[in-house]
Amino acid sequence: MYIQLIANLPVLDFERRLENAPEGTTTFVSLYGTDFPILEPTEFDPKWFSHKFRGPGLRYEIGLCIRTGNIVWAHVGYPCGEWPDFRLARDALINHLGIGEKALADKGYRDNNYFLNPNGNQMKKILARHETYVLPQLSTKRLRWKKDWSGVAFRLVVFFLACTMPLMGL
């Protein structure tokens, strides 16, 4: 019970994406989809299949403020096979973006109205934050969660990261 209470504490503030943003900026968030392994909830069903680790999973979305690196967005998990990155973003993030605002993302998010998909070093540098200190914390390839608990585990990790990253200077 306490774990679920902590996991549900509101520590993310989407408005923090605007911190330290230069005047005239329209891109504040880098977005990254990540898959969270789960135990097979039913007999094999392709809707759960994650191509990232070739097993059942739930797909989540993490958004970092480009200027500060703070986590400002996390979106709940949906079956990996039914929910590609762009569909997940359309389900929620797009509705929170300001007029003319775009998020920086990889090529899984193909819509020039809402996303910038830069190539090369610029993209690698910005998305490296996700892979350096967010994804290792979420990487549980050796663990398989029951579907009902994977969301709680994900929110606990996001809570921990959101509280400690500013203290670590990340």
Side-chain angles (χ1 to χ4, degrees):
M1 181 170 129
Y2 292 112
I3 291 173
Q4 289 180 327
L5 289 173
I6 292 170
N8 290 323
L9 286 173
V11 295
L12 302 184
D13 181 2
F14 193 60
E15 296 306 309
R16 290 190 67 197
R17 75 192 189 286
L18 306 173
E19 287 180 8
N20 302 330
E23 190 72 30
T25 302
T26 59
T27 305
F28 308 103
V29 175
S30 61
L31 194 63
Y32 198 87
T34 187
D35 294 357
F36 203 83
I38 61 170
L39 293 171
E40 194 85 52
T42 60
E43 290 185 25
F44 177 78
D45 186 335
K47 80 176 190 178
W48 300 104
F49 188 76
S50 167
H51 67 279
K52 294 180 182 177
F53 49 79
R54 304 192 53 76
L58 293 173
R59 181 157 292 144
Y60 292 85
E61 202 170 57
I62 298 286
L64 301 181
C65 174
I66 291 172
R67 299 293 289 188
T68 66
N70 291 327
I71 298 175
V72 295
W73 179 261
H75 190 47
V76 299
Y78 289 112
C80 293
E82 285 187 340
W83 287 82
D85 290 338
F86 181 63
R87 183 176 179 203
L88 193 58
R90 258 194 339 232
D91 183 59
L93 179 80
I94 287 174
N95 299 320
H96 289 80
L97 295 175
I99 295 171
E101 182 178 349
K102 295 182 180 189
L104 187 75
D106 63 27
K107 293 178 183 169
Y109 300 86
R110 293 183 189 244
D111 185 335
N112 293 333
N113 295 313
Y114 301 105
F115 301 100
L116 292 175
N117 310 112
N119 293 321
N121 291 336
Q122 180 186 15
M123 184 66 171
K124 287 179 185 175
K125 184 177 177 182
I126 292 172
L127 291 182
R129 284 190 209 159
H130 289 275
E131 297 193 12
T132 301
Y133 59 85
V134 174
L135 293 181
Q137 303 302 321
L138 295 173
S139 178
T140 57
K141 291 184 172 96
R142 288 186 213 115
L143 299 174
R144 299 278 179 183
W145 296 85
K146 287 188 176 182
K147 185 171 76 82
D148 298 342
W149 276 98
S150 68
V152 172
F154 176 80
R155 289 190 311 272
L156 279 170
V157 171
V158 168
F159 172 84
F160 171 75
L161 288 171
C163 291
T164 59
M165 282 174 30
L167 299 173
M168 294 185 290
L170 298 174

